[in-house]
Amino acid sequence: MLIVLCAHFIMALLAPIFFSRWGRAAFYVLAAVPAASFAWLLTQYGAVYSATGINPVLDIPWIPALGVNLTFRMDALAWLMSLLVLGVGALVLAYCARYFKTDDAGLGGFGAQLLAFAGVMFGLVTADNLILLFVFWELTTVLSYLLIGYARTRIAARRAALQALVVTTFGGLAMLVGLIMVGEGAGTYSISDVLDRAPQLVAATGTPGTVLDIGVALILVGAVTKSALLPFHFWLPGAMAAPTPVSAYLHAAAMVKAGIYLVARLAPGFSGTAHWQLLVTVLGLATMLVGGWRALRQHDLKLILAYGTVSQLGFLMVVVGLGSREAALAGMAMVLAHGLFKAALFLVVGIIDHQSGTRDIRELSGVFRSAPALGVVALIGAASMAGLPPLAGFVAKESVFAAFEAHARYGSAGHAAGVAVLALLVIGSILTFAYSARFLWGGFARKRPAPGGAARGRAAAPVADTPFKSVGWLFLGAPALLSLLTVAYGAYPQLAERWIAPYSAPFPANDPHPQHLLLWHGVTLPLVLSAVVVGGGLALFLLRRRFESLQARMPALVDLERLYRQAIVVLDLVAIWVTGRTQRGSLFFYLAVILGTAIAAVSAVLATTGPDWLGRHYTVDGGTPFQVIAGVVIVVGALAAARASKRFMAVLMVSVTGYGVALIFALQGAPDLALTQMLVETIVLVAFVLAMRSLPPGLRERTRGSHKLLRVILGAAFGAVMVVVGVVAMGSRIATPVSLGLPALAYTGGGGLNVVNVTLVDIRAWDTFGEISVLAIAATGVASLIFVRGRGQRLARAETVETGSIGRVGVPDGSPSPVAELARRFAVVPGNPWLVAGRTLAPERRSIIIEVVTRLVFHSIMVLSIYLLLAGHNGTGGGFAGGLVAGLALTIRYLAGGRFELAEATRVSAGTLLGLGLAAAALTALAPLFLGGEVFQSAILSFDLPVFGHVKFVTSTLFDIGVYLVVVGLVIDVLRSLGSEIDQHEEDGIGDITLIEDDEPLEVGR
């Protein structure tokens, strides 16, 4: 199962490469992934349906302390849903190779997202952990948002994608709360264990309204939003703005089935809870009727199917949520049948739209004559959707009617309620038959003009056939195969029953006589009801014009989509009002609110703690006077920064406070923290100094009057409160610090003596991975604010100075800028390959001392950075400190030689280093999984080398190398953004320059 997931995600990452080489034919390569996975799934039949009842399980510890594991289980329900997910997914991807044009933009991203969606859905239906299920659930939401919004230039597609995202995310968040409530109540997050304990949990709940009942109700909210039930049904028709393959997969066979799957998964344990039947039955029936009613008003083939999908999702929700053995069998039979015929019909609509250029039934005529094979495929799918024999839809619908007949006769809800539900299901099925006929007639029949369009006494001539291109078998193959499977399913439904039986067996049976999936049960009530459905649906279709007139005359019901848009507008207006009142553009106001709130909240808590902490305090730790000196330096630096009138002085004083803190760390016996703090302060100081070149040197005038007094009061009060908080925190400890056990844990588990470094790269590697990810994002953000060229573009090399190829903004012929020309004329060592300041800097900007010092110390500092990297596991250092030291070495080279020297020193772009660092850290995290270990698990290797002797190597060092690369990439980004880019902007902004050569003026134009 893990290999199937990884194959989908890895191939999704490689998809853009395939499309860049093979164009739309790359869809066949992507289709091979779910196709191969489907073949593997068939081989698992024996293990899933073995007589022992033990299902294949993959369990990988993830967060054991929270009960969250990467647990996947392939039982009967997961196997059935995987058939749809992988089988239909492979066919849809192959279909895309003929649906899209070769020159369509964005196919690489689209194919990657569609393939990743198939993998995510497979993970969702096989997940056996509530939190893992939620992770896959939200991934489907994000990917569906991207797929629905594929046509980024169309506002309708963007609006539909955002609407689907908002609605399903709302339901997902509600579901997360419910999952946590159920998981905590059950004492486990394993879905199989929760279902095993469900009878005891339900019996122990007592009266309605308990935590379990509310949790289950919140989970159902997530299922209702994902499966587009009332009152959230409107997002699904809007999502038809997506390409038709997306509609066929996400909105017929995969995504919207996620809610149905979730209800089917939890029904064996929780269908008896307080709110289950009310939510499932009422919302399901209402959705079935509203969807069928709205489908009969549509003129777009795709919207007919969309509202039909809404209707049948309500139908499925009622059936799978009933909680009886008969309903479970019938519900899963209908899920399989619906996935086959609805996916086929959506693909047929895509072919019609692709070959004729329209989906409007008022414009389509005679398509069956032009494409009879396509018409036969559509006829099979529509007939199965309508419930006609001998197709899958008929078999499944018969079993549904039989299940609800048994529910009405023997169920606990009462005979009247059961009959009412069955009657509403029949009415909804009549609507289903009618819109199925409308779809088939609208898409393929020869039309006649509306009544009144012909002369009196004459029959109106048929409308001319719609021009229709021939359909190749590669294009028709996917829907044709789905229709063929629909016929085979209807002819031999016993096979599907054997697949479903292990899932339905645990449910209580209503009917004393076991029910089966059969094409012919004899003359029974379900058969009579099917005949009523056919007669009523046929009459409704034949009277369609009168029915449309009736629908037009009826007053409009509540438009929930309009309510949604109005709610979004109100939310925007409230956000604007709140933003206008709070975001006033005043830094003083923001700080006053933040600090005032912090002072008030913390003071209120301190006032309730009591005075016990006052008796335990001391001024100087260990009696050393150096701490007092460091404290005085910090205070003086802070006051000087507050009083400084120049930006440079303010920044310098802030750095003094940082260096003072580093001194305190060193005095407290924390050399790693001291070294890191000192290096960070140095890098930050350099960044500030570089940035200040584009700022005025003086600070603006301080605020006078009452605001000045208020600033002093707020600053002093906040500082005093934080001091008290520190004293209270240090004096309130009642338990043994966890840090006392870290040295032993670092050595035995992480194989290192440096507790700080081992903690960063092993014990809390997840935190560090998140931190370096934030560093990469921050570096990209800084670069995006300043860069005006490509992210991966290298800096201009020194050779460009000699060739004169450095162009300047505003110079159309690419002539050299004045500064570049001046630098070239003052070149003194043209053959020097290392420090190029002599060729790139004007004399007044050069410093021979800095150049000489740089030549002496650069390589030594780089060696020191590598030493800190490799020695950090057992001594002072580590990847972060080593990367900062390497960054300082590059900073020295930049200060000595300018932007061209930085280009010589950094042949690899910052973006590449950041990517390599994150990749190295990620691979170090995932590699143990392939060796039977856990994520971020380290291995300690001991071996002897001829020269170095005995060596102990810990694999977490590879993770530290990733940290090193990320930090170096960050520093290069800072130097490039605040150094090289500003240098170049200053050069491009210089006016006329007059050079003197041989006592004659040489004019260099702007």
Side-chain angles (χ1 to χ4, degrees):
M1 286 179 279
L2 183 62
I3 295 177
V4 171
L5 282 172
C6 292
H8 280 78
F9 296 146
I10 292 173
M11 290 296 287
L13 292 175
L14 299 176
I17 301 176
F18 299 151
F19 280 93
S20 65
R21 296 194 174 195
W22 302 318
R24 66 177 183 174
F27 277 113
Y28 291 123
V29 178
L30 300 188
V33 179
S37 302
F38 183 84
W40 168 84
L41 185 68
L42 296 179
T43 65
Q44 299 300 303
Y45 180 85
V48 174
Y49 292 92
S50 65
T52 61
I54 301 176
N55 302 125
V57 178
L58 174 66
D59 187 18
I60 301 173
W62 184 17
I63 314 176
L66 299 179
V68 181
N69 292 340
L70 301 177
T71 307
F72 302 91
R73 182 182 299 274
M74 184 64 74
D75 60 2
L77 179 60
W79 193 82
L80 286 170
M81 296 301 297
S82 297
L83 286 178
L84 284 178
V85 169
L86 298 176
V88 177
L91 293 177
V92 169
L93 281 166
Y95 172 91
C96 289
R98 287 294 174 266
Y99 177 82
F100 290 101
K101 299 178 181 178
T102 304
D103 57 350
D104 283 343
L107 289 184
F110 176 85
Q113 293 157 11
L114 192 58
L115 181 62
F117 187 91
V120 168
M121 276 301 302
F122 177 78
L124 189 150
V125 299
T126 56
D128 193 37
N129 185 278
L130 293 175
I131 304 301
L132 181 62
L133 181 144
F134 173 77
V135 171
F136 284 115
W137 186 279
E138 289 303 295
L139 286 175
T140 62
T141 298
V142 174
L143 288 171
S144 67
Y145 166 76
L146 297 174
L147 290 167
I148 294 171
Y150 165 71
R152 297 172 181 83
T153 58
R154 294 174 49 202
I155 189 171
R158 299 201 305 270
R159 182 184 294 120
L162 184 60
Q163 179 176 271
L165 178 69
V166 171
V167 173
T168 54
T169 300
F170 162 77
L173 293 176
M175 188 183 79
L176 175 61
V177 177
L179 293 174
I180 293 174
M181 294 172 71
V182 171
E184 290 297 318
T188 178
Y189 284 92
S190 170
I191 297 176
S192 54
D193 291 342
V194 168
L195 292 176
D196 290 339
R197 302 176 190 181
Q200 294 81 13
L201 295 173
V202 174
T205 56
T207 59
T210 61
V211 172
L212 179 66
D213 293 328
I214 296 174
V216 172
L218 290 174
I219 294 175
L220 289 179
V221 170
V224 165
T225 56
K226 185 73 81 173
S227 290
L229 268 63
L230 281 170
F232 307 104
H233 67 287
F234 55 85
W235 75 261
L236 180 57
M240 293 301 111
T244 300
V246 174
S247 303
Y249 190 44
L250 274 68
H251 306 137
M255 176 183 171
V256 292
K257 290 290 197 310
I260 305 299
Y261 162 77
L262 184 61
V263 171
R265 173 63 72 189
L266 299 181
F270 299 107
S271 59
T273 53
H275 310 294
W276 181 281
Q277 291 300 331
L278 179 65
L279 287 172
V280 167
T281 304
V282 173
L283 294 182
L285 288 173
T287 304
M288 183 181 186
L289 297 175
V290 170
W293 175 273
R294 296 292 297 271
L296 292 173
R297 300 179 61 179
Q298 307 304 317
H299 297 95
D300 186 316
L301 286 175
K302 202 171 179 184
L303 285 180
I304 293 174
L305 292 181
Y307 281 102
T309 301
V310 170
S311 176
Q312 294 214 313
L313 287 172
F315 181 43
L316 290 171
M317 187 67 75
V318 175
V319 181
V320 300
L322 184 62
S324 68
R325 185 175 302 171
E326 301 83 11
L329 177 65
M332 292 311 301
M334 180 55 75
V335 166
L336 291 175
H338 180 267
L340 294 176
F341 66 68
K342 188 57 67 71
L345 291 176
F346 268 113
L347 296 182
V348 166
V349 171
I351 294 176
I352 293 175
D353 189 15
H354 190 276
Q355 304 301 99
S356 67
T358 182
R359 301 192 304 256
D360 195 325
I361 63 176
R362 294 166 296 190
E363 300 177 5
L364 291 168
S365 180
V367 175
F368 191 89
R369 292 163 57 92
S370 303
L374 180 66
V376 171
V377 171
L379 175 63
I380 294 172
S384 182
M385 183 166 63
L388 291 177
L391 302 172
F394 170 77
V395 173
K397 191 165 290 186
E398 284 268 294
S399 63
V400 170
F401 287 159
F404 279 88
E405 177 194 3
H407 177 64
R409 291 179 182 273
Y410 310 107
S412 59
H415 182 70
V419 171
V421 171
L422 183 58
L424 291 174
L425 289 177
V426 171
I427 295 173
S429 299
I430 291 174
L431 295 174
T432 301
F433 187 98
Y435 66 68
S436 300
R438 180 181 179 85
F439 171 85
L440 194 62
W441 167 81
F444 293 90
R446 299 191 74 190
K447 310 296 194 319
R448 293 183 179 274
R456 181 174 297 181
R458 290 184 183 179
V463 177
D465 290 354
T466 303
F468 201 86
K469 303 174 185 176
S470 61
V471 184
W473 280 105
L474 284 176
F475 202 5
L476 186 60
L481 181 57
L482 291 170
S483 296
L484 182 63
L485 292 174
T486 298
V487 175
Y489 181 2
Y492 189 61
Q494 294 87 347
L495 179 61
E497 181 180 350
R498 286 203 294 269
W499 295 347
I500 303 171
Y503 164 72
S504 61
F507 288 89
N510 283 331
D511 195 336
H513 307 289
Q515 295 185 5
H516 301 282
L517 295 180
L518 296 173
L519 183 59
W520 175 253
H521 290 274
V523 180
T524 59
L525 178 61
L527 182 63
V528 173
L529 294 178
S530 295
V532 171
V533 168
V534 173
L538 188 59
L540 197 57
F541 170 72
L542 294 176
L543 300 173
R544 59 186 177 277
R545 298 192 185 278
R546 296 183 181 180
F547 188 72
E548 288 177 5
S549 300
L550 174 64
Q551 286 183 312
R553 290 195 302 270
M554 291 190 64
L557 299 176
V558 178
D559 190 342
L560 292 171
E561 184 174 8
R562 179 177 298 177
L563 288 179
Y564 161 81
R565 292 181 180 177
Q566 291 175 349
I568 295 298
V569 170
V570 171
L571 184 62
D572 288 340
L573 292 175
V574 172
I576 292 172
W577 183 87
V578 172
T579 302
R581 298 301 185 277
T582 57
Q583 302 299 314
R584 300 164 56 179
S586 171
L587 180 60
F588 165 72
F589 176 78
Y590 302 151
L591 290 176
V593 172
I594 295 172
L595 298 181
T597 303
I599 292 170
V602 174
S603 299
V605 174
L606 291 175
T608 62
T609 59
D612 296 340
W613 53 272
L614 293 174
R616 300 179 56 191
H617 65 276
Y618 52 87
T619 305
V620 179
D621 186 15
T624 173
F626 293 106
Q627 292 186 18
V628 178
I629 297 174
V632 171
V633 169
I634 293 173
V635 172
V636 171
L639 294 176
R643 297 295 302 169
S645 59
K646 300 293 184 179
R647 296 182 188 274
F648 178 77
M649 182 57 67
V651 170
L652 188 60
M653 290 300 102
V654 170
S655 296
V656 168
T657 63
Y659 287 124
V661 173
L663 178 58
I664 289 181
F665 287 155
L667 294 174
Q668 287 293 106
D672 279 274
L673 295 179
L675 176 62
T676 303
Q677 175 72 17
M678 183 183 67
L679 295 173
V680 168
E681 284 296 332
T682 305
I683 290 293
V684 171
L685 177 61
V686 171
F688 268 113
V689 171
L690 293 176
M692 283 191 300
R693 294 181 299 166
S694 299
L695 299 174
L699 292 169
R700 64 181 180 179
E701 189 178 358
R702 304 289 185 177
T703 305
R704 300 180 182 275
S706 59
H707 282 183
K708 183 175 182 180
L709 179 61
L710 184 56
R711 289 169 185 264
V712 174
I713 294 174
L714 281 174
F718 183 75
V721 168
M722 289 301 102
V723 169
V724 174
V725 168
V727 174
V728 172
M730 296 299 293
S732 301
R733 185 184 299 277
I734 59 176
T736 303
V738 295
S739 59
L740 297 180
L742 287 180
L745 180 62
Y747 186 74
T748 58
L753 297 174
N754 186 346
V755 180
V756 175
N757 186 257
V758 175
T759 300
L760 292 176
V761 300
D762 193 325
I763 300 175
R764 299 186 63 181
W766 277 107
D767 291 350
T768 306
F769 186 76
E771 290 166 0
I772 62 175
S773 301
V774 171
L775 284 178
I777 294 171
T780 303
V782 171
S784 65
L785 291 174
I786 300 178
F787 285 178
V788 294
R789 294 179 293 276
R791 182 71 173 88
Q793 184 176 354
R794 296 182 181 179
L795 294 172
R797 296 280 305 282
E799 294 83 47
T800 60
V801 179
E802 294 183 339
T803 61
S805 61
I806 304 176
R808 203 161 51 81
V809 177
V811 182
D813 59 352
S815 59
S817 68
V819 173
E821 182 68 17
L822 182 66
R824 185 176 65 83
R825 292 180 180 277
F826 279 102
V828 292
V829 191
N832 186 352
W834 190 68
L835 192 61
V836 296
R839 287 184 288 141
T840 60
L841 293 180
E844 65 270 17
R845 298 186 61 184
R846 292 182 62 184
S847 173
I848 301 301
I849 294 177
I850 294 181
E851 291 181 26
V852 171
V853 171
T854 301
R855 292 175 185 274
L856 291 175
V857 304
F858 174 77
H859 300 90
S860 300
I861 296 177
M862 291 300 299
V863 171
L864 174 62
S865 75
I866 297 174
Y867 167 78
L868 291 174
L869 166 66
L870 299 178
H873 209 66
N874 291 292
T876 301
F880 195 78
L884 290 174
V885 171
L888 287 176
L890 295 173
T891 302
I892 293 174
R893 284 192 68 170
Y894 165 72
L895 295 176
R899 63 186 180 98
F900 295 106
E901 181 63 30
L902 180 63
E904 294 294 325
T906 56
R907 301 295 180 90
V908 180
S909 67
T912 302
L913 285 176
L914 291 169
L916 289 175
L918 287 176
L923 290 176
T924 306
L926 296 178
L929 294 178
F930 298 96
L931 301 175
E934 302 178 7
V935 178
F936 281 118
Q937 182 175 349
S938 299
I940 303 174
L941 308 176
S942 297
F943 49 88
D944 294 317
L945 293 177
V947 176
F948 297 95
H950 184 73
V951 176
K952 186 175 82 169
F953 179 78
V954 184
T955 55
S956 59
T957 303
L958 301 176
F959 180 83
D960 222 8
I961 293 174
V963 176
Y964 179 92
L965 294 176
V966 168
V967 174
V968 174
L970 171 66
V971 176
I972 293 175
D973 246 345
V974 171
L975 293 176
R976 180 178 179 182
S977 302
L978 302 178
S980 298
E981 291 294 324
I982 295 179
D983 288 345
Q984 187 167 0
H985 292 169
E986 290 179 349
E987 294 171 10
D988 294 339
I990 291 179
D992 294 338
I993 298 178
T994 300
L995 302 180
I996 304 297
E997 181 174 340
D998 297 331
D999 299 325
E1000 294 291 333
L1002 176 63
E1003 297 292 333
V1004 180
R1006 295 181 63 87

